[in-house]
Amino acid sequence: MFPTGFEAADPESIAHIIQVALAPAFLLSALATLLNVFSTRLGRVADKVDALSASLPGADAEARATLALRLAYLRRRSLLLDAAVVLASLGGVMTGAAVLTLFVGALRDASAASVLFACFGLALACTILAILAFLAEILLAGRGIRLEVERKQEEPR
């Protein structure tokens, strides 16, 4: 997989090895950033759930129904964020497995290309799915904001 012996001193070979090693590092950095965003949003959802739950005991029947709908909405958002976190984490695991396979393949001088391709391919697929789950959560959040604005506008003053 990697050149050995005197061939390794070739600048093009060294550049290729560095390129191969850096690609997973960039993906892992992007996944870490995504996980940070996901966890921040999940924390905000949790704060909203706490605030709504605290107002449930003193609410009348109509307010309780409204609070229950809002809590169900927040539950859907949290489920989407959970899916995004799981998928991004799996993407990170597959990227790590791809790097490990790369190093094991280089050490054994065996053909690990199919395992490397599968791991990196799964990492990319999980990353794409995590982004799509995050997109769905963002769209759901925007819809919730719009519904809240409409509700506020319809309230008698």
Side-chain angles (χ1 to χ4, degrees):
M1 180 171 265
F2 287 117
T4 56
F6 188 70
E7 296 174 19
D10 179 28
E12 289 181 29
S13 297
I14 293 170
H16 178 69
I17 292 170
I18 291 171
Q19 287 173 341
V20 169
L22 284 179
F26 287 121
L27 181 57
L28 284 174
S29 176
L31 288 170
T33 302
L34 279 174
L35 285 168
N36 185 30
V37 170
F38 298 157
S39 64
T40 300
R41 291 190 65 83
L42 195 54
R44 293 183 69 199
V45 168
D47 290 343
K48 289 179 182 182
V49 168
D50 290 342
L52 290 175
S53 297
S55 60
L56 265 175
D60 62 9
E62 185 180 327
R64 287 178 75 80
T66 301
L67 290 172
L69 286 173
R70 291 178 71 193
L71 286 170
Y73 163 77
L74 290 172
R75 182 178 183 279
R76 288 192 308 269
R77 283 185 61 190
S78 70
L79 289 173
L80 285 170
L81 283 167
D82 286 349
V85 167
V86 167
L87 290 167
S89 298
L90 285 174
V93 168
M94 288 295 106
T95 302
V99 172
L100 181 64
T101 303
L102 180 67
F103 288 124
V104 168
L107 291 175
R108 289 183 154 190
D109 197 26
S111 176
S114 61
V115 175
L116 176 63
F117 180 77
C119 290
F120 200 70
L122 282 172
L124 291 173
C126 287
T127 304
I128 290 166
L129 290 172
I131 291 169
L132 289 173
F134 183 60
L135 173 65
E137 191 275 335
I138 290 287
L139 293 173
L140 193 58
R143 181 175 176 261
I145 291 169
R146 288 186 297 277
L147 290 173
E148 184 68 21
V149 168
E150 288 174 15
R151 189 181 66 79
K152 292 284 187 185
Q153 288 173 341
E154 292 173 359
E155 284 181 1
R157 295 180 189 222

